[in-house]
Amino acid sequence: MCGIVGYIGNRQAAPLLLAGLEKLEYRGYDSAGIAVLENGAVEVVKCKGRLSALAERLGKTDFGSTLGIGHTRWATHGEPNDLNSHPHISRSGKIAVVHNGIIENYIELKRFLIARGYSFISETDTEVIAHLIEYHYKGDLRKAVTAAMTDIEGSYALGVICSEQNDMFVAARKDSPLIAGIGGNEYFIASDIPAILEHTRDIYILEDKEIAVISRSGAEIFDIYGGKVVKEVFRVNWDIDAAEKSGYEHFMIKEICEEPKVVRDTISPRIRGGDISLDGTGITAESIREIDKIFIVACGTAYHAGVIGKYVIEKLARIPVETELASEFRYRDPMVGPKTLVIVISQSGETLDTMMALKESKRRGARVLSIVNVVGSSIARESDNVLYTQAGPEIAVASTKAYNAQLSAIYLIALKLAQLKGTVSGENFRNIVDNLLALPKAIEKVLGNRSDVQKYASLHYNAKSIFFIGRGLDYALSMEGSLKLKEISYIHSEAYAGGELKHGTIALIEEGTLVVCPMTQLGLREKMTGNIREVKARGAVVLAVVPESCALAEGLADHIVRIPDIDPLVAPVVAATVMQLFAYYVAVLKGCDVDKPRNLAKSVTVE
Ligand code: M6R
């Protein structure tokens, strides 16, 4: 979702802002712009479309300014066009604002401002902020921003410059990510680390309702009451290469190829002497005695990881689990209380729906354990405990390696809960631990055979509709396979439980329809062959994903992709890679913008 950068220092701001915005492209956007302070005046250049369009316009300027803010916009209020693009300026042209988030009371504020002579030229909620800051401005930009923040309801990360302040700008946040970067003698703000990593590894992570004054001599942080906040510098320990394509054609395939490492890095450090150590997660014999129910709450791919979590935790630990979409959970009066453990899952740690569900859970007295990828993200900081997935930065909008890492974390939690509750035998525990440790090698094998998946993708990339069916864990996996395919290839797709198709959706199967059938679950495979026969009888072409030693798909499925033999409980982690590769190759063959699919944003910070 929208990306923000800001710069003050000795160098020309415009090219640095543009380069920073390029690093935030992955968040998703449909227009972009910058504002700089040039000879005591605010200059804005902005337009609809990609950053290349903005670069072209900037090429016609020659701003020497060393102070500015930039923005990539993912439209919420008003269509993507030049006028609605950020930055937005105030009535006098003195103040320019970039904003990520949504101002919920903007209509009310607009009325208030119109009554005081302000007029509006865009359809955005953000324009209100520019005018409001100007309304409060009496020579102190920090105070004006702070005053505006007390009027505003909603979520925001803000960057604000003022033509009367040549040596500073102001940033602030609430429910939207924002960091301040501390360079040698230059300072930055950004929505995410990759935007500034080239220049500095030292950052401040702004908390809700904090205001940063970024000047030529440093970054000072204040609370909403004007008090100074003493903050620790966070040192980024990952390398810039992690956020580069490193020779791969797309981030997505690079990230899929990183899965063996990601799964290993998430699991191995937690297994010591054959035991699982979940230090820092709050999972102890004592704490689980107080739990009578678990909720897993998340969105999109992370939700699908949560569906697997339900199966696995209930099977191993015999604790009732409900997995729920974060956007639904919050508004339906869920039965959550002090005896509930809420597990929230999020790659970015910034998804607003998930964050709001987290806050609601805490309000109801539940303890929240989050499975998060981004260190120091909002969700990680709001949770009682965190289990970090070790996926590294995920740049492609479609989540891949983060999903495999989330599954890995869930297996660790499920197995630990089972051990502490005594619901798993020592032998079974050791067997599952061995299988978890075997996952990276199994995924490596799938990656080694990826040309098979590519071959089948080349036969079906023109499909109008593709179905995924599976039973048990394979059903949960099918949901993710289907989501991956539709989000990057724009092919209509649905996932169904193998046994459910015949209750209606089978009507959509016709001659040549591709049905993808993972068959990793022992005991359910025979039942799946029945479901495969049903769709084949209606003309479907079947692509089965089966373990090496399983012969059931022979002579039945049209195409077969083999995965290494591994315990069915953990097999979805391996089969997921097949699903991701299939979606990837289909999208590449269709010529889609794989890393930046249309209409999507990497970090969804609106409800
Ligand atoms: O950052 P999060 O894991 O909280 O994001 C949740 C979803 O927005 C995300 O998984 C989304 O569905 C991806 N586009 C999936 O590829």
Side-chain angles (χ1 to χ4, degrees):
M1 217 134 264
C2 307
I4 288 178
V5 290
Y7 174 78
I8 186 165
N10 303 325
R11 294 190 276 167
Q12 224 185 328
L16 285 171
L17 295 172
L18 193 62
L21 291 177
E22 274 166 11
K23 295 281 193 287
L24 296 180
E25 273 195 300
Y26 72 89
R27 296 171 71 84
Y29 71 105
D30 36 48
S31 56
I34 68 158
V36 292
L37 218 57
E38 187 79 359
N39 304 322
V42 169
E43 297 283 351
V44 174
V45 180
K46 57 182 187 176
C47 60
K48 178 186 167 175
R50 291 286 178 203
L51 284 171
S52 50
L54 178 66
E56 206 177 304
R57 290 198 186 192
L58 281 172
K60 296 180 188 130
T61 67
D62 186 24
F63 297 136
S65 171
T66 55
L67 188 172
I69 49 178
H71 190 262
T72 44
R73 173 176 187 250
W74 189 86
T76 56
H77 296 63
E79 62 173 286
N81 60 27
D82 291 3
L83 261 187
N84 289 333
S85 310
H86 299 209
H88 287 280
I89 54 168
S90 62
R91 177 171 63 180
S92 67
K94 232 192 271 183
I95 283 161
V97 172
V98 289
H99 165 222
N100 175 12
I102 286 188
I103 305 305
E104 279 160 11
N105 60 339
Y106 84 103
I107 293 182
E108 194 185 316
L109 291 171
K110 204 166 172 173
R111 275 196 213 113
F112 171 88
L113 289 161
I114 288 171
R116 281 150 190 84
Y118 288 84
S119 54
F120 289 78
I121 55 169
S122 78
E123 301 157 88
T124 66
D125 51 343
T126 304
E127 198 180 352
V128 164
I129 309 175
H131 293 319
L132 198 59
I133 293 173
E134 177 166 301
Y135 171 77
H136 287 295
Y137 182 69
K138 310 268 178 310
D140 184 329
L141 188 58
R142 175 178 65 81
K143 283 192 178 152
V145 172
T146 309
M149 283 165 71
T150 58
D151 297 335
I152 292 169
E153 284 164 23
S155 61
Y156 49 83
L158 298 174
V160 186
I161 64 171
C162 172
S163 60
E164 291 178 4
Q165 310 283 337
N166 190 32
D167 290 319
M168 58 86 86
F169 68 98
V170 171
R173 70 155 272 179
K174 180 181 164 275
D175 295 332
S176 260
L178 198 64
I179 56 168
I182 309 143
N185 49 7
E186 54 185 3
Y187 302 89
F188 305 82
I189 58 161
S191 301
D192 201 359
I193 295 167
I196 57 172
L197 193 57
E198 199 180 317
H199 312 294
T200 181
R201 288 176 173 279
D202 292 336
I203 62 170
Y204 289 137
I205 299 171
L206 294 197
E207 303 279 344
D208 274 357
K209 294 200 175 170
E210 282 183 346
I211 300 112
V213 173
I214 316 286
S215 71
R216 295 191 189 276
S217 53
E220 285 185 298
I221 319 292
F222 296 85
D223 62 27
I224 193 122
Y225 308 106
K228 234 172 136 181
V229 178
V230 181
K231 262 202 179 298
E232 264 184 42
V233 174
F234 178 87
R235 183 138 181 97
V236 180
N237 62 7
W238 46 269
D239 220 49
I240 194 144
D241 288 357
E244 301 289 342
K245 277 193 229 162
S246 313
Y248 285 90
E249 198 182 338
H250 299 101
F251 277 110
M252 184 173 173
I253 188 68
K254 178 192 175 228
E255 288 162 3
I256 295 173
C257 289
E258 285 169 1
E259 285 171 0
K261 174 175 168 17
V262 159
V263 169
R264 188 177 294 117
D265 290 352
T266 304
I267 293 174
S268 297
R270 295 285 183 175
I271 295 179
R272 290 179 204 147
D275 198 7
I276 294 178
S277 148
L278 290 188
D279 296 352
T281 62
I283 295 183
T284 61
E286 210 172 41
S287 73
I288 67 159
R289 262 199 294 277
E290 282 146 31
I291 296 169
D292 60 12
K293 184 178 184 177
I294 294 177
F295 262 99
I296 305 181
V297 187
C299 307
T301 288
Y303 166 77
H304 294 153
V307 179
I308 298 240
K310 173 184 168 63
Y311 280 78
V312 177
I313 295 173
E314 286 192 344
K315 184 175 173 57
L316 291 176
R318 310 307 296 159
I319 304 173
V321 181
E322 274 188 61
T323 300
E324 187 147 356
L325 293 166
S327 53
E328 290 295 314
F329 174 89
R330 182 185 173 198
Y331 293 108
R332 70 158 191 90
D333 197 8
M335 290 174 61
V336 171
K339 288 185 151 202
T340 319
L341 171 65
V342 175
I343 302 179
V344 304
I345 309 177
S346 175
Q347 185 287 126
S348 62
E350 300 295 346
T351 303
L352 196 64
D353 286 325
T354 310
M355 177 58 130
M356 291 307 174
L358 185 167
K359 287 188 174 167
E360 183 59 28
S361 305
K362 287 186 80 171
R363 204 180 62 76
R364 288 168 186 255
R367 207 161 55 78
V368 176
L369 164 63
S370 60
I371 299 175
V372 174
N373 193 42
V374 178
V375 177
S377 56
S378 307
I379 288 175
R381 281 179 290 127
E382 283 282 330
S383 305
D384 296 298
N385 299 97
V386 188
L387 176 53
Y388 281 112
T389 47
Q390 302 297 325
E394 190 180 65
I395 307 293
V397 167
S399 190
T400 54
K401 61 175 179 173
Y403 174 73
N404 297 54
Q406 286 158 355
L407 295 184
S408 306
I410 283 165
Y411 285 109
L412 290 173
I413 292 172
L415 201 48
K416 191 70 196 176
L417 288 172
Q419 185 194 40
L420 291 171
K421 280 201 71 193
T423 50
V424 65
S425 71
E427 193 191 335
N428 199 14
F429 181 87
R430 280 190 296 280
N431 172 51
I432 300 171
V433 165
D434 289 347
N435 274 278
L436 287 176
L437 292 170
L439 281 171
K441 281 255 170 300
I443 300 173
E444 265 164 29
K445 212 157 172 201
V446 167
L447 290 170
N449 296 334
R450 61 184 186 265
S451 54
D452 284 356
V453 184
Q454 190 174 22
K455 180 177 75 195
Y456 298 132
S458 73
L459 301 177
H460 295 283
Y461 72 95
N462 276 326
K464 280 208 169 52
S465 194
I466 295 180
F467 289 79
F468 289 72
I469 60 170
R471 283 176 173 259
L473 287 173
D474 284 335
Y475 170 42
L477 173 67
S478 293
M479 293 180 189
E480 178 54 13
S482 172
L483 174 67
K484 215 70 330 173
L485 181 77
K486 59 193 151 199
E487 66 181 340
I488 59 167
S489 74
Y490 319 139
I491 293 176
H492 166 257
S493 175
E494 290 184 37
Y496 265 83
E500 179 63 17
L501 205 68
K502 60 183 177 292
H503 295 290
T505 309
I506 201 162
L508 299 178
I509 305 293
E510 50 188 41
E511 201 59 37
T513 305
L514 180 66
V515 182
V516 180
C517 305
M519 294 173 71
T520 69
Q521 297 305 294
L522 206 66
L524 293 172
R525 287 184 202 146
E526 281 78 6
K527 290 265 175 249
M528 262 310 283
T529 60
N531 301 132
I532 291 178
R533 285 199 178 88
E534 287 160 10
V535 291
K536 285 210 58 86
R538 272 101 192 150
V541 174
V542 167
L543 164 61
V545 181
V546 288
E548 265 155 14
S549 63
C550 170
L552 283 173
E554 311 280 347
L556 181 63
D558 302 86
H559 319 310
I560 301 178
V561 174
R562 299 267 173 207
I563 62 166
D565 286 325
I566 197 154
D567 191 306
L569 193 74
V570 301
V573 188
V574 185
T577 307
V578 176
M579 303 289 171
Q580 296 158 353
L581 287 168
F582 181 72
Y584 171 75
Y585 287 123
V586 166
V588 169
L589 287 158
K590 281 194 74 180
C592 299
D593 190 349
V594 177
D595 285 337
K596 296 189 285 285
R598 72 183 179 207
N599 304 340
L600 301 186
K602 182 68 183 165
S603 166
V604 183
T605 49
V606 295
E607 269 196 87

